[in-house]
Amino acid sequence: MTLTRERTVAAAPPAPGRRARRSPAAFPVHLAMLSWAVVTALPLLWAVVSSFKTDNEILNEPWSLPASPQLDNWSRAWTQASIGRYFLNSVIVVGGALLLTMLLGSLVAYALARYEFRGNRLIYYVFVAAMFFPVFLALVPLFFVVQQLGLLGTYPGLILVYAAYAVPFTVFFLHAFFRTLPGEVAEAAFMDGCSHSGVFFRVMLPMARPGLVAVGIFNFLGLWNQYLLPLVLNPDPDRYVLAQGLAALSVSQGYRSDWSGLFAGLTIAMLPVLVAYVAFQRHIRAGMTAGAVK
Amino acid sequence: MKHGRWRFLAGALVPALVLHAVFVLSPYAQAFYLSLTDWTGVAGEARFVGAGNYARLGGDSLFLDAVRNNAVMLVVVPLVTIGIGLFLASMMHLGGRGGRRAIAGSGAYQIVYFFPQLLSLVVIAVLWGFVYNPNNGLLNGALRSVGLDGLTRSWLASPSLALVAVMAVLVWSSVGFYVVLFSAAIDSIPRELFEAALLDGAGGWATFRTVTLPLVRESVQVAFVYLGIAALDAFAVVQVMTVGPGGPDGATEVIGLSLYRNAFQYGKFGYASAMGVALFFATLTLAVLALRSGRRERLELA
């Protein structure tokens, strides 16, 4: 429901000439808005600038610009501090988990939304109820479940657990979405002799694309930023994901005080998110707020 | 056709159900049982201790610190975040004509505000660890550069400031999301209502109180639930950013951190599970309270 509203809002063109230019309140309003923009952006910009400074500059002049940009910080963080490896681990784990989540989540949501059978509601609630439990509650037994399956500290282990915890919301979101899709196209496809899975993959899934994009973005960010699950289930430093590696680094670097390297690592961790955001910012904000309103 | 239907349904549902049962349902179920035992991880050595773990929670002063800190965050973080979020979102619309249209440039502001929401809490915690650094941090640097040297502090090392510093980070990272959420809610309010208020001579504050606030109530409730759940967690920020972790004198200890430490450092799995159950009931209470207050009355817009 929210999505349809979202789309109509976005589709309504701004009435030409009605955009207010000046009004008496404009100055204090802009001042308030600008203040928060500075509060938001300043720490981020400061970290980026610091990633180009020498340790000496960082320690003695926190507000200055670098005399000459130290690109070496970045390569040191990428190779010596293993940020590059953590980055790759994150890509593998999140990529695998995202594919699995979207496949399983859309299958379940579609089956529950478009087929009548006994136990349909029950299965729906079994999935959706999991959204209301804190992950902390499951943490201890989950560790032993993963350990007994021999999956502790492995890519498949993390991928399966990530997907298992992302599927409930995906089902919840896409279930509502599949219900709003018209049934005529699917019926026509059945008439033409299309199989059930053929209808799903070739007719319904393409029609559900906006919903898939929204929940896909939401899931990607959630999985990319996951910290608690890898902290417990992924003890092997060679397989650390980015957030985990950065946290470990900030503790150990603190002692060695390679400040510039850590700032560079921090910036590297922020960069892909920033690039994705600049490219898709409208989709991302719509997708994430739609997820919350549901 | 009938045959194909069941085959498809089984293929669609069974893999996800298996995954769900193994990694989600069974751990949740086991947690309740484990919380009644003194299990320390050695197979077959779990003794049933009934409510013993829960009784011990009441005498664990660090856990009580954690409960107190989470309770403070549960009140302060949603209130401050929603306050700033509503203020900025309604400002965006107040500045425009008739109290309705978003001011010029509000889109650009929203883009900037929203960004921290996308970052991992670990990235945010590492970043703010630097900002708060007493010697070369951004905050003390700023205070020194404007001559307020007397106000510089070791923000994360002083017991009275550490929790405030943690809460400030949580607020900083989430305000933007709620500005966007509330702004969308305000956008969907029919324009006539603002025009009517304007014709009746209502000022900015009166318009906000009588038109905007009642009509974005649902979004505000959603915000309370989400922020409340985030405040009951706060694990990543505290674990990465504060000393110990858990802060000086347990000043920033949170339930999640106590649970993690007891389970994965001390091996007290039964005891840690009891903390998980306590956290679960806190979350459940929060959700039920929010949902019940939400059912009171719904404003119908004709």
Side-chain angles (χ1 to χ4, degrees):
Chain A
M1 311 300 127
T2 318
L3 269 176
T4 47
R5 178 151 33 103
E6 200 83 40
R7 262 183 294 161
T8 49
V9 168
R18 291 219 42 173
R19 258 222 150 137
R21 292 283 130 212
R22 285 268 139 236
S23 95
F27 179 70
V29 167
H30 275 287
L31 193 68
M33 312 291 294
L34 197 64
S35 310
W36 189 259
V38 169
V39 169
T40 307
L42 197 63
L44 298 166
L45 291 175
W46 176 69
V48 175
V49 170
S50 296
S51 77
F52 292 108
K53 290 158 84 165
T54 64
D55 278 333
N56 199 20
E57 285 172 319
I58 289 173
L59 288 171
N60 297 318
E61 302 145 59
W63 275 80
S64 71
L65 287 172
S68 65
Q70 305 289 312
L71 295 173
D72 173 55
N73 294 343
W74 283 53
S75 61
R76 212 171 56 244
W78 184 260
T79 51
Q80 251 166 274
S82 313
I83 290 287
R85 175 194 300 242
Y86 302 150
F87 197 95
L88 189 67
N89 289 338
S90 274
V91 169
I92 293 169
V93 172
V94 173
L98 189 61
L99 270 178
L100 190 61
T101 304
M102 297 307 287
L103 179 69
L104 295 181
S106 58
L107 274 168
V108 171
Y110 172 71
L112 295 177
R114 309 296 292 203
Y115 289 84
E116 291 292 328
F117 58 90
R118 269 176 63 110
N120 181 314
R121 286 270 97 183
L122 178 71
I123 295 178
Y124 177 73
Y125 285 120
V126 161
F127 276 110
V128 168
M131 295 193 319
F132 298 98
F133 285 71
V135 178
F136 278 106
L137 178 58
L139 210 54
V140 169
L142 180 65
F143 172 80
F144 289 101
V145 167
V146 174
Q147 190 186 45
Q148 268 161 16
L149 292 171
L151 293 172
L152 215 54
T154 64
Y155 292 137
L158 269 192
I159 289 173
L160 288 173
V161 172
Y162 273 25
Y165 282 85
V167 161
F169 177 76
T170 311
V171 169
F172 176 65
F173 188 95
L174 290 178
H175 184 266
F177 200 84
F178 277 120
R179 294 219 129 180
T180 62
L181 293 182
E184 290 83 5
V185 187
E187 274 160 35
F190 278 125
M191 294 289 187
D192 291 346
C194 206
S195 69
H196 286 272
S197 57
V199 169
F200 172 70
F201 282 110
R202 273 183 274 152
V203 179
M204 296 307 273
L205 217 46
M207 278 165 74
R209 228 186 118 223
L212 291 174
V213 169
V215 77
I217 289 171
F218 188 87
N219 279 334
F220 171 77
L221 288 166
L223 296 174
W224 184 263
N225 293 336
Q226 184 57 252
Y227 177 58
L228 184 61
L229 290 175
L231 185 67
V232 172
L233 304 175
N234 191 27
D236 178 359
D238 281 345
R239 297 231 163 73
Y240 275 1
V241 295
L242 194 54
Q244 195 183 7
L246 192 68
L249 212 61
S250 80
V251 176
S252 67
Q253 296 281 89
Y255 296 119
R256 278 189 286 143
S257 60
D258 178 4
W259 292 93
S260 51
L262 192 46
F263 272 111
L266 189 67
T267 309
I268 293 172
M270 293 196 294
L271 215 55
V273 181
L274 180 65
V275 170
Y277 182 51
V278 170
F280 306 112
Q281 53 95 5
R282 189 174 293 278
H283 284 290
I284 289 177
R285 275 179 310 162
M288 291 195 56
T289 44
V293 174
K294 278 279 159 189
Chain B
M1 211 65 218
K2 193 93 182 147
H3 182 63
R5 178 186 135 100
W6 284 111
R7 253 211 347 226
F8 173 71
L9 279 180
L13 294 173
V14 170
L17 276 172
V18 170
L19 194 71
H20 195 65
V22 172
F23 291 110
V24 181
L25 294 182
S26 98
Y28 279 129
Q30 288 178 55
F32 286 98
Y33 170 71
L34 278 182
S35 76
L36 304 174
T37 72
D38 66 351
W39 198 42
T40 50
V42 187
E45 296 251 337
R47 255 189 326 127
F48 189 78
V49 294
N53 286 328
Y54 295 96
R56 270 171 61 208
L57 283 181
D60 180 340
S61 66
L62 195 55
F63 180 73
L64 294 179
D65 280 345
V67 171
R68 188 202 59 211
N69 292 336
N70 273 126
V72 170
M73 286 197 260
L74 185 60
V75 175
V76 175
V77 172
L79 275 180
V80 175
T81 309
I82 290 173
I84 299 177
L86 267 180
F87 173 76
L88 291 171
S90 49
M91 273 296 181
M92 278 181 186
H93 293 81
L94 259 186
R97 200 168 85 183
R100 173 59 185 76
R101 284 245 153 244
I103 57 165
S106 72
Y109 283 128
Q110 287 192 23
I111 293 174
V112 175
Y113 294 173
F114 195 81
F115 183 63
Q117 177 71 25
L118 305 178
L119 295 173
S120 160
L121 279 172
V122 171
V123 169
I124 289 169
V126 173
L127 173 64
W128 278 85
F130 287 139
V131 172
Y132 286 135
N133 185 293
N135 304 317
N136 51 4
L138 183 69
L139 189 53
N140 280 354
L143 290 171
R144 281 191 201 106
S145 70
V146 292
L148 292 170
D149 293 55
L151 286 180
T152 58
R153 296 278 183 281
S154 315
W155 302 98
L156 293 171
S158 108
S160 58
L161 285 173
L163 187 62
V164 176
V166 168
M167 291 195 290
V169 173
L170 292 177
V171 170
W172 177 84
S173 69
S174 36
V175 160
F177 179 79
Y178 294 97
V179 172
V180 174
L181 190 72
F182 296 148
S183 190
I186 295 175
D187 273 334
S188 69
I189 298 175
R191 193 171 314 170
E192 300 80 46
L193 292 180
F194 288 104
E195 283 162 9
L198 200 66
L199 285 178
D200 288 345
W205 171 244
T207 308
F208 174 76
R209 216 166 40 85
T210 56
V211 181
T212 312
L213 197 55
L215 291 174
V216 299
R217 233 190 66 174
E218 233 170 284
S219 302
V220 172
Q221 268 161 353
V222 171
F224 259 105
V225 175
Y226 275 77
L227 286 164
I229 289 173
L232 282 178
D233 182 338
F235 171 80
V237 169
V238 168
Q239 204 245 3
V240 174
M241 194 174 77
T242 67
V243 290
D249 268 346
T252 61
E253 181 77 11
V254 289
I255 298 173
L257 190 60
S258 269
L259 188 157
Y260 176 79
R261 196 187 297 116
N262 271 290
F264 300 105
Q265 281 171 18
Y266 306 156
K268 295 184 192 165
F269 295 107
Y271 188 51
S273 297
M275 292 181 180
V277 173
L279 190 64
F280 163 68
F281 281 111
T283 312
L284 193 68
T285 312
L286 177 78
V288 169
L289 283 180
L291 287 178
R292 281 187 53 172
S293 72
R295 234 188 284 142
R296 245 188 298 158
E297 97 265 35
R298 277 189 167 216
L299 278 155
E300 289 294 330
L301 290 175

